[in-house]
Every structure is written in C-alpha cells, then in structure tokens.
Amino acid sequence: MYNHVKRILGLILAVLAIVLLSPAMLVIALVIKCSSPGPVLFKQKRVGRDKHNFTIYKFRTMRVDAPKDQPTHLLASPEAFITPVGRFLRKYSLDELPQLFNIVKGEMALVGPRPALWNQDDLVAARDLYGANGVRPGLTGWAQINGRDELPIPEKARLDGEYVRRMSLGFDLRCLLGTVSSVARAEGVVEGRQTPGNDEASKK
C-alpha cells in the first residue's frame, strides 16, 4: 500500500522541487556550459527496479575525456578529470538534481537504494541477498546517510536491505532529513581508489 502512496508523494514533491529549483538549475547549467567544453547533462545506464536498466541524468562534473562507465573509485586520479565547478557540485550533491526528472518519469524515487551502474554485478548481486533490487532506486537512501561513499559494498547492500524492510513514510522522512544534514556537512564524500566499496560511477 505504501508503495502507491510513496509514488504519488514522490511525484508531487519532485514536480514542486523542479519548479522551485529551476532558477538554480538554470544557473548551474549555464556555469557548466561556460566553464568547460561538453554537454551540460551526463547520461548513464543504471540498474532500476527489478534490475531493469534506465538512463540516469546528472549535471556533468567531469571532462568529456573522462573514462565512461567506470566507477570513480577505480580511477587512478579522479581529481584530474573533475572540473572545478564539478568539484563543488559533487561535494554538495548538486549534480544529482536532474534526477528529479527521473522521479517524475517513474524510474526513481526520492528515497531508496542508490542506482548501481549497469556493470556493477557485485553490488547488484549483494542487493539480491537482501531483496533490495525490487524497489525503485532513490535520489538518496538509508546507506547514503550512514557512510555515503565510504561504505564497502556488503555493508551498503545490508543497509539497502534494512531500508526495504523498514520502508514507511516516517522512515523516508528520516532519510530525507538525514540527507539534508549530511549534504550540508559534505560528509562521506571520497574520490578515488581509497574506497573500494564505492558504487558511484564516473559522473562526468
């Protein structure tokens, strides 16, 4: 029952957020376009509900020659590819704002497991153990406020499974409030090979 309520609430909140944040997103788009060559948006194939792939949207934070479909933690020198503007966007997760449109399309939810890259079989398999692939991936999630980039894959999958078990309006609100706090303090943001459990792909 809550899945239907969650979808309706998520759609309403995503539309409101797009309307309210459209001036900020326009400024971000202009700064990206003027500061480095390449498209404003970065599109990438990710794993969605029931392991169906979809195209995720992000503001581009890396140079266009950055390796595609490779997790940031596998890059020897990710800082060499991240643009100055992109560094700021990534620190405060502003690059994720275009995913509000993924929520409107029904491909994502406000809260849920972060969508794995299409070739991250280890993360998808680990989530299978906890039934975490059967819900829409989220803009944020329980794992994101409990370690973000610092978590190894087994722990991240366990937390994603815990979210699925506890999923409710109250728990979603807890995740959203925790996200605001974590993002404001830029907690758990790590770039490069020192975090082998990181599931975030090269964002460009």
Side-chain angles (χ1 to χ4, degrees):
M1 177 62 181
Y2 177 62
N3 277 324
H4 298 293
V5 174
K6 178 177 179 176
R7 170 60 185 149
I8 294 171
L9 288 176
L11 176 60
I12 293 172
L13 291 174
V15 171
L16 287 175
I18 289 171
V19 172
L20 293 174
L21 296 174
S22 56
M25 289 194 285
L26 178 60
V27 170
I28 291 173
L30 289 173
V31 172
I32 292 172
K33 194 65 179 176
C34 293
S35 62
S36 65
V40 168
L41 291 180
F42 174 54
K43 302 176 183 179
Q44 191 175 57
K45 186 164 66 173
R46 293 292 182 102
V47 180
R49 185 179 184 181
D50 297 325
K51 294 187 280 190
H52 295 302
N53 292 335
F54 72 100
T55 299
I56 200 172
Y57 307 127
K58 294 173 178 280
F59 282 124
R60 180 176 58 84
T61 61
M62 286 189 169
R63 300 187 335 228
V64 292
D65 60 340
K68 189 175 181 180
D69 291 339
Q70 183 174 354
T72 305
H73 73 277
L74 294 180
L75 296 177
S77 302
E79 291 292 341
F81 295 102
I82 300 173
T83 65
V85 172
R87 189 172 297 110
F88 175 81
L89 296 178
R90 292 163 74 101
K91 181 177 181 180
Y92 294 104
S93 295
L94 295 173
D95 58 317
E96 314 286 358
L97 289 178
Q99 288 159 47
L100 291 167
F101 293 97
N102 287 118
I103 295 174
V104 172
K105 292 172 65 178
E107 297 163 335
M108 292 180 62
L110 283 174
V111 184
R114 283 294 297 161
L117 189 60
W118 65 273
N119 57 4
Q120 286 186 289
D121 297 331
D122 51 354
L123 178 58
V124 174
R127 284 175 171 169
D128 265 337
L129 298 175
Y130 297 99
N133 288 315
V135 298
R136 286 186 180 89
L139 184 62
T140 186
W142 184 232
Q144 274 55 54
I145 64 174
N146 283 282
R148 206 169 173 180
D149 295 345
E150 298 173 337
L151 294 173
I153 283 176
E155 177 64 10
K156 188 169 294 186
R158 187 192 67 79
L159 289 168
D160 289 335
E162 181 181 347
Y163 168 75
V164 173
R165 293 194 307 273
R166 300 176 64 182
M167 188 170 60
S168 64
L169 178 58
F171 198 56
D172 279 0
L173 288 174
R174 180 177 175 181
C175 291
L176 289 172
L177 291 174
T179 298
V180 173
S181 176
S182 294
V183 169
R185 296 194 298 268
E187 291 180 342
V189 180
V190 182
E191 307 283 7
R193 289 184 176 176
Q194 61 267 47
T195 54
N198 179 19
D199 73 331
E200 282 298 294
S202 179
K203 296 182 179 183
K204 284 198 177 180

